[in-house]
Amino acid sequence: MNQFEEQAEIIRQEELTPEIFRLTVKAPEIASHALPGQFVMVRTAPCYDPLLRRPLSIHQTIGNQQVQLLYKVVGKGTRMLAAMRPGHTLNLTGPLGNGFAFKNRPAICLIGGGMGIAPLYFLAREILRVTTPPKCVVLLGGRTAAELGPLPRDFKDIGMTEIHSATDDGSLGHHGFVAELLPKHLDSGHDWTVCACGPHPMMKAVVGQCRQQGWQCQVSLETMMACGISACLGCAIPRADLSGPYLHVCKDGPVFNAEEVAWL
Ligand SMILES: Cc1cc2nc3c(=O)[nH]c(=O)nc-3n(C[C@H](O)[C@H](O)[C@H](O)COP(=O)(O)OP(=O)(O)OC[C@H]3O[C@@H](n4cnc5c(N)ncnc54)[C@H](O)[C@@H]3O)c2cc1C
Ligand code: FES
């Protein structure tokens, strides 16, 4: 797998909410090799504080030239990233990890919670570009309508027709958790492939339902990551049968078949 280090010029920094930002950078090597589900390691400041790069999913690529990231400010690194402006440069390595397998699937459901929605938008675009699944459902979850911001419309604008939202406070769509939308919108007559990314409890609920229904489920997992290139072993997770060597999210994932990993 090709990986690159690029000194990427910031093209746009959009503040979608006071906490959520969408950053567009010029990184032609990464843009032209990236697959949906892959991520980049970002040096969030021009200096070495913070020392460690931060992992962020690729939200979309634009014209083999630009890479877009969607991120939430949660700590020092993302706060410094949000302070960067067009014209500044950002050091990125990527594309890293593997991607979702989405070709030749009869019916696909993309289900994301919070910033887990970030890689699903890239996936949605690629599904529409390279395949014509007879059925594709997008389920988006957030704490509030404000947190989801423009995302439901973004999916609609690229041609996704079946999009449903769920919010914790009921301010948009279903009042409750996004996993609760699965039985409502996925009919058992189809052979579904479910692609999920979000907080652990959401993923666990999705995996449980997929098992019950016999649907194939791919999950994009998040762990703490120090290197992103399989050198520090900090992203180890146990296999489903708790035997053998641990899996590493940065190298073996971040996308896994849900049956490969342990759901503790
Ligand atoms: C494969 C992958 C893809 C991701 N994609 C996105 C995305 O598209 N959008 C988004 O908003 N967030 C994403 N995250 C989470 C994001 O990496 C963390 O929110 C970010 O690293 C926090 O950095 P910080 O310095 O602001 O926070 P701090 O809490 O100050 O970070 C301290 C340390 O903990 C690590 N860390 C903290 N939270 C996480 C976390 N949830 N996952 C991994 N490492 C963490 C940081 O990398 C850093 O080394 C992703 C994580 C992974 C593993
Ligand atoms: S993050 Fe270092 S080995 Fe995976």
Side-chain angles (χ1 to χ4, degrees), residues 7 12 14 31 58 65 67 90 93-94 97 101-103 140 147 167 173 187 193 209 213 232 247:
Q7 208 51 37
R12 244 184 345 272
E14 300 162 78
I58 297 173
Q65 287 288 315
V67 171
L90 199 62
T93 53
F102 58 92
K103 292 184 185 156
L140 306 175
E147 189 187 78
T167 46
D187 54 277
T193 296
Q209 292 188 54
Q213 298 289 341
C232 72
L247 295 163

Side-chain angles (χ1 to χ4, degrees), residues 133-250:
K135 217 159 167 47
C136 193
V137 173
V138 179
L139 305 176
L140 306 175
R143 282 183 302 174
T144 62
E147 189 187 78
L148 284 177
L151 292 170
R153 173 152 290 280
D154 287 349
F155 280 88
K156 194 163 189 277
D157 287 348
I158 57 170
M160 283 290 166
T161 51
E162 221 184 309
I163 303 159
H164 306 280
S165 302
T167 46
D168 295 354
D169 67 351
S171 51
L172 184 71
H174 171 69
H175 187 172
F177 298 127
V178 67
E180 292 161 7
L181 294 177
L182 275 175
K184 219 164 144 186
H185 297 289
L186 269 57
D187 54 277
S188 45
H190 283 87
D191 179 16
W192 289 97
T193 296
V194 176
C195 299
C197 188
H200 190 76
M202 176 208 111
M203 305 277 262
K204 224 173 146 173
V206 170
V207 172
Q209 292 188 54
C210 289
R211 264 189 203 145
Q212 261 182 5
Q213 298 289 341
W215 295 329
Q216 209 247 353
C217 182
Q218 297 171 36
V219 290
S220 179
L221 299 182
E222 260 190 35
T223 53
M224 292 295 185
M225 279 189 189
C227 74
I229 52 166
S230 190
C232 72
L233 309 185
C235 63
I237 56 164
R239 291 172 189 270
D241 59 5
L242 302 178
S243 74
Y246 276 52
L247 295 163
H248 291 98
V249 174
C250 69

Side-chain angles (χ1 to χ4, degrees), residues 81-147:
L81 192 59
M84 295 183 84
R85 292 289 166 259
H88 291 167
T89 56
L90 199 62
N91 189 280
L92 301 183
T93 53
L96 299 167
N98 62 9
F100 290 99
F102 58 92
K103 292 184 185 156
N104 305 317
R105 312 281 162 152
I108 301 184
C109 170
L110 313 186
I111 178 165
M115 288 301 98
I117 296 168
L120 300 183
Y121 183 67
F122 188 13
L123 177 59
R125 287 195 48 183
E126 284 300 289
I127 288 171
L128 294 171
R129 193 177 67 82
V130 306
T131 68
T132 45
K135 217 159 167 47
C136 193
V137 173
V138 179
L139 305 176
L140 306 175
R143 282 183 302 174
T144 62
E147 189 187 78

